[in-house]
Every structure is written in C-alpha cells, then in structure tokens.
C-alpha cells in the first residue's frame, strides 16, 4: 500500500469507530466501547495520521459521548475552574508565578488566555478513565460500595494513560492525575503521584476545588442523594482549606464578591 492508501484506510476505519461510539450506549456494549477506544489510542496508523486536534476531539467528544453524566460533569467543572482562575489572575496573579515560566504578575495577566485554555482542556480530560468503569459510574440510583469505590479511585491513572495517544496531550497529565490529591500531599489518590512537586500545582489546586464544587452540588447522575447548596460546599471547602484544598484558591472565591455571586448563581439556580 502507498502512504496515501494507508492514511485513507486508517481514517476510514476511524470514522466507523466514531460512528459506533455515537450510536449505541447500552451497558451491554460497554466492553466493546473500551475495546474500540483502546484500538484507536494504540493503533500506530491512527497515532500517525490523526492530527493532535483530532485526537483531542476523539477523547473529549467521541469517548465523552459514551459517558453523558461524566461528560456533563467535566464541562461544568471546566466552567467553574475558568471562573476561579480568572479571579486569581485578576486579583492575585502572584499565586501563578512560576507557572509556565511566568516571572511577574504582569506576565501572568498577559498570558491569561493561554492559562485558561490549558486549564479548560485539562478539565475536559480529567475523568476520561471512568470509561473503564461505566457500569459503576453510571449507576445513578445508589451510593457505590467500598469495592466499587476502590475501582473508581483508579480513574485518574487510567485517564493519564489515555493521554499517551499523542505527545502534545501529556502536558495535561499532572492536572488529570492529580485532581483528587489533597493540597498538602498527605491524602487523596493516587498515592504514587506527588502533587506538591508539580510545576502546574496551582492549576491542580484550582481543578480540585472546581471538581468538588461540581460533584457536591450536581443534580445530574447522582439521584441517590440531594445536592448540596453552594453555601454548604463553600463552608466545607473553607473548613478543609490548607489541608485538602489550597487556602488561597478557596479564599479567592470568598474575597471576590463577583466570583462568589457568579458561582452561587450557576450552582443554586
């Protein structure tokens, strides 16, 4: 086969796989979804011929289409993270010094768009590993048991492995694998990742707060319990700040009336 024929064949196969992912989301075919996803990520021809943007779209849109509750969570979490990050960039940019090599508050503010775009993409990717445990994650009518919880806690590592699809995606690895680690590094999971040493630690901290805000207050996919109000979850974040959550990130929300009110309106509406 010529190089052009190989590329055409690979892209045609990819189109069939994407259509399959979008057409049937029954539990009985979850194993097939996993197999097809693995095929796309590991196939050398697809890794070669798909562009980085096409690979990102596959992970966030096509795989996401098979996990509606998880996809909705990721999209909403990304919105919360952007609001929090914008607040910090405007009100206390010194918190981001060192991020991506930025040395001054002015430099942080000058690169606002790049920071927000990076964080947004990382948030969309953060729960991809839950495609390995759809039967558990999509069981929305009861609380999961201890065995199931142990399985779910593996999702950050699964998500990080999926980023190997393209070298350009590996830049998001620390946020993806670290969003359930405690700020002080002493709790959370996975145990083998040290978030305190990450060069994007501040973005992990923002993602962690945004993730908890969305998970605790969501009305989608958690029918077994009543969602918390914005005020209730903010009290919890404040109580655990300095240990589980970055105190500066939590207090950035409290100290900005505009940010606090925007998040409250989004969550309690």
């Amino acid at each position: 086969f010529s190089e052009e024929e190989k590329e055409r064949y690979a892209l045609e196969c990819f189109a069939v796989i994407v259509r399959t992912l979008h057409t049937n989301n029954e539990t009985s075919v979850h194993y097939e979804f996993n197999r097809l996803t693995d095929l796309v990520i590991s196939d050398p021809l697809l890794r070669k011929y798909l562009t980085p943007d096409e690979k990102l779209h596959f992970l966030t849109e096509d795989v996401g289409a098979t996990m509606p509750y998880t996809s909705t969570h990721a999209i909403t979490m990304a919105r919360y993270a952007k609001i929090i990050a914008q607040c910090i960039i405007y009100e206390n940019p010194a918190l981001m010094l060192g991020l991506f090599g930025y040395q001054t508050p002015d430099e942080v503010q000058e690169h606002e768009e790049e920071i927000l775009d990076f964080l947004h993409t990382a948030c969309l990717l953060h729960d991809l590993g839950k495609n390995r445990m759809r039967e558990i994650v999509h069981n929305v009518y009861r609380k999961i048991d201890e065995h199931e919880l142990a399985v779910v806690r593996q999702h950050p590592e699964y998500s990080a492995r999926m980023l190997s699809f393209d070298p350009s995606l590996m830049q998001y690895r620390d946020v993806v694998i670290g969003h359930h680690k405690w700020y002080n590094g002493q709790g959370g999971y996975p145990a083998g990742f040290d978030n305190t040493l990450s060069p994007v630690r501040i973005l992990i901290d923002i993602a962690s707060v945004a993730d908890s805000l969305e998970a605790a207050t969501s009305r989608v996919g958690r029918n077994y319990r009543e969602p918390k109000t914005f005020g209730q979850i903010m009290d919890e974040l404040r109580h655990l700040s300095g240990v589980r959550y970055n105190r500066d990130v939590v207090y950035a929300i409290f100290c900005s009336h505009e940010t606090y009110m925007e998040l409250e309106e989004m969550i309690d509406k």
Side-chain angles (χ1 to χ4, degrees):
F1 292 102
S2 68
E3 197 68 19
E4 292 78 9
E5 289 173 324
K6 290 180 182 178
E7 180 177 3
R8 184 173 65 253
Y9 173 74
L11 296 181
E12 287 174 354
C13 290
F14 177 68
V16 172
I17 291 172
V18 168
R19 285 198 298 271
T20 302
L21 292 177
H22 281 270
T23 55
N24 196 336
N25 195 28
E26 297 298 324
T27 301
S28 60
V29 295
H30 281 175
Y31 172 78
E32 187 67 12
F33 284 155
N34 290 341
R35 192 181 71 81
L36 291 174
T37 301
D38 288 345
L39 174 63
V40 172
I41 292 175
S42 62
D43 185 83
L45 290 180
L46 292 178
R47 292 170 70 97
K48 178 178 180 179
Y49 294 122
L50 291 178
T51 67
D53 284 345
E54 288 173 328
K55 293 173 183 176
L56 177 62
H57 186 277
F58 174 75
L59 293 178
T60 59
E61 300 293 334
D62 300 321
V63 174
T66 72
M67 304 184 294
Y69 299 130
T70 302
S71 181
T72 299
H73 161 71
I75 292 169
T76 308
M77 169 198 168
R79 293 174 65 192
Y80 296 165
K82 178 180 179 180
I83 293 169
I84 297 168
Q86 280 181 314
C87 172
I88 291 173
I89 291 171
Y90 289 135
E91 303 292 340
N92 192 5
L95 287 179
M96 293 192 177
L97 293 183
L99 179 67
F100 305 143
Y102 305 146
Q103 298 300 312
T104 67
D106 286 345
E107 195 173 2
V108 169
Q109 293 177 333
E110 288 168 3
H111 291 86
E112 174 190 359
E113 185 175 352
E114 291 95 323
I115 295 171
L116 296 181
D117 285 347
F118 181 97
L119 182 59
H120 177 79
T121 300
C123 289
L124 294 182
L125 294 166
H126 83 286
D127 271 353
L128 282 177
K130 287 183 177 177
N131 79 325
R132 295 291 178 188
M133 48 204 74
R134 288 186 182 88
E135 294 85 351
I136 298 175
V137 174
H138 286 183
N139 180 10
V140 300
Y141 295 102
R142 65 167 175 82
K143 190 174 182 179
I144 62 177
D145 60 33
E146 287 299 316
H147 170 72
E148 291 169 328
L149 180 59
V151 174
V152 170
R153 283 179 172 170
Q154 299 176 50
H155 79 268
E157 293 168 289
Y158 283 126
S159 299
R161 290 173 195 167
M162 293 176 75
L163 300 183
S164 65
F165 192 19
D166 190 83
S168 67
L169 297 174
M170 293 302 291
Q171 62 183 316
Y172 307 110
R173 180 182 182 276
D174 282 9
V175 177
V176 167
I177 200 171
H179 68 279
H180 280 295
K181 289 291 288 189
W182 288 14
Y183 168 69
N184 65 4
Q186 301 302 306
Y189 54 90
F193 176 71
D194 188 350
N195 55 306
T196 67
L197 299 179
S198 173
V200 294
R201 184 182 182 185
I202 184 63
L203 300 186
I204 297 175
D205 296 339
I206 293 171
S208 176
V209 169
D211 185 60
S212 292
L213 274 175
E214 204 291 323
T217 62
S218 176
R219 293 168 173 79
V220 178
R222 291 178 172 87
N223 296 338
Y224 56 83
R225 58 115 173 112
E226 284 294 315
K228 295 178 181 178
T229 66
F230 178 68
Q232 288 173 327
I233 187 59
M234 286 305 300
D235 284 343
E236 291 184 15
L237 294 177
R238 177 166 50 188
H239 177 70
L240 293 170
S241 65
V243 178
R244 182 168 180 174
Y245 304 103
N246 183 325
R247 179 178 284 110
D248 291 323
V249 173
V250 174
Y251 277 84
I253 302 173
F254 279 109
C255 293
S256 170
H257 178 73
E258 180 180 351
T259 300
Y260 189 96
M261 295 302 295
E262 184 175 5
L263 288 170
E264 183 179 41
E265 182 178 355
M266 291 178 65
I267 290 171
D268 286 348
K269 64 181 179 181

